[in-house]
Amino acid sequence: MSALLTFEDVGMTYGHTTVLEGVNAEIAAGEVVCVIGPSGSGKSTLLRCGAGLETPSTGVVSVAGEPVGWTRRRGRLVPARNRAVARQRAQLGVVFQHFELFPHMTVLENIIEGPRGVLDVPAEDARQRARELLGRVGLTAYESRYPAQLSGGQQQRAAIARSLAMRPAVMFFDEPTSALDPEMVGEVLQVMRDLAADGMTMLVVTHEMGFAGQIADRVIFMDGGRVIEQGDATAVLTRPQTARCAEFLSRILERPVA
C-alpha cells in the first residue's frame, strides 16, 4: 500500500528548544493512525507540520508525493508560492481542540465559507454539500444556530463538517475531545468512527486509549520529540516493545500492560 502522507526526517526547533527530531512515518490512503504520548512529546507539533500549519526546521512532509509548503524547481526544493500553499492546505482538513468556529456566522455559514472562498464552489452547491454533511454529523436541525448556541460536542461536530466540506485527502484531529465534558465525548468519537469506516485517511492525536484501540490501524508513540515506537494498534497498546511506551501505557490504562 503506497503512502499518502509521509514524514521524512522531520525536525522542529524553536530557538534553542528542539520539539521534533528525526521523525519518519508513513500513512497509507484509508489508514487511521493515532499518535499518543505524554504532554510535551511533540504530538501536536507533528500534526501541525503534517497539516501544513507549520514548516519543519528540517525534513519534509509530503502528501501524495508533493512536498507540503515546497515546490521542486530544477531538482531543488524551494518555498511554494502562496497560491500553491493554499491549494495544498485545502487537501488537509484540521479539527482542533477548541472548535475554532467563526462566532459571528451560523453553522451553515461556517461550513460553506471555505468551499466558497477557497475552492470557488457555487453558493447553492456549497449549501447542498453543507446540509449533507450536517446530516452526517447529526446536526440537520442546527444549521441556523450560532456556535454560542451549541454544546461543545455539537460545536466539534460542526467543526468536523466544516473540514469535510473542503473534501480533504487527509483529516487531522488534534485532541478533538479534550475540551469536551465527558458526556459529550462519545458523540464526537462516533462521528470519527464513521469517517474511519468510510475510508477517510486520518492522523489523530489523542489521549483516548480505548478509542485508539478501536479506530486505529496503527499507533505512533512519541516522547521527547521522537518516535519511540510505532506499529499495529493492538500490538503497541497491549504488547509494547519499548520500556518507555510500556511505562506510559501502564500509567494511563486501567490495568498494567504486560
Side-chain angles (χ1 to χ4, degrees):
M1 198 181 305
S2 60
L4 176 61
L5 176 67
T6 305
F7 297 86
E8 299 178 72
D9 200 28
V10 169
M12 174 65 79
T13 58
Y14 299 104
H16 297 293
T17 302
T18 297
V19 181
L20 295 176
E21 185 175 359
V23 173
N24 291 284
E26 294 185 347
I27 300 175
E31 190 175 28
V32 179
V33 175
C34 285
V35 185
I36 66 172
S39 297
S41 60
K43 305 184 301 296
S44 291
T45 302
L46 180 70
L47 180 143
R48 292 180 65 83
C49 289
L53 300 176
E54 297 198 36
T55 301
S57 304
T58 58
V60 177
V61 177
S62 300
V63 176
E66 182 178 3
V68 176
W70 303 89
T71 188
R72 298 187 188 278
R73 188 175 301 162
R74 298 178 182 176
R76 298 178 56 192
L77 288 178
V78 297
R81 296 179 178 176
N82 289 343
R83 181 174 296 181
V85 172
R87 176 179 56 79
Q88 291 177 334
R89 288 180 178 168
Q91 302 180 67
L92 309 172
V94 188
V95 177
F96 300 97
Q97 298 179 30
H98 298 288
F99 325 135
E100 306 292 342
L101 296 170
F102 297 117
H104 63 289
M105 293 183 179
T106 65
V107 169
L108 186 70
E109 289 168 344
N110 264 279
I111 295 172
I112 67 174
E113 176 72 10
R116 293 282 292 125
V118 178
L119 303 181
D120 294 322
V121 174
E124 187 53 40
D125 291 348
R127 282 192 289 269
Q128 180 179 342
R129 169 72 172 164
R131 288 180 173 126
E132 291 171 357
L133 291 169
L134 285 172
R136 186 172 181 178
V137 300
L139 293 176
T140 298
Y142 297 86
E143 68 171 59
S144 298
R145 296 197 186 185
Y146 289 88
Q149 297 173 308
L150 303 180
S151 69
Q154 289 167 339
Q155 289 187 61
Q156 193 62 294
R157 284 184 281 153
I160 292 172
R162 181 181 61 180
S163 289
L164 291 173
M166 299 295 287
R167 301 184 185 276
V170 184
M171 284 285 287
F172 297 84
F173 293 86
D174 188 7
E175 297 283 5
T177 61
S178 65
L180 301 180
D181 292 333
E183 65 268 22
M184 298 176 184
V185 169
E187 60 192 49
V188 173
L189 296 184
Q190 186 56 54
V191 170
M192 294 174 66
R193 288 188 189 96
D194 292 342
L195 289 177
D198 289 343
M200 173 61 72
T201 307
M202 298 161 61
L203 181 67
V204 184
V205 171
T206 184
H207 281 116
E208 300 275 353
M209 295 302 112
F211 175 68
Q214 294 172 19
I215 194 175
D217 298 298
R218 290 190 299 114
V219 164
I220 293 173
F221 171 70
M222 296 186 67
D223 191 33
R226 290 177 170 272
V227 173
I228 304 300
E229 185 169 343
Q230 61 179 311
D232 173 80
T234 300
V236 172
L237 293 173
T238 62
R239 300 182 301 278
Q241 299 301 301
T242 61
R244 182 66 187 97
C245 185
E247 177 190 21
F248 170 77
L249 291 170
S250 70
R251 289 180 176 180
I252 61 174
L253 297 176
E254 292 182 354
R255 58 181 178 80
V257 177

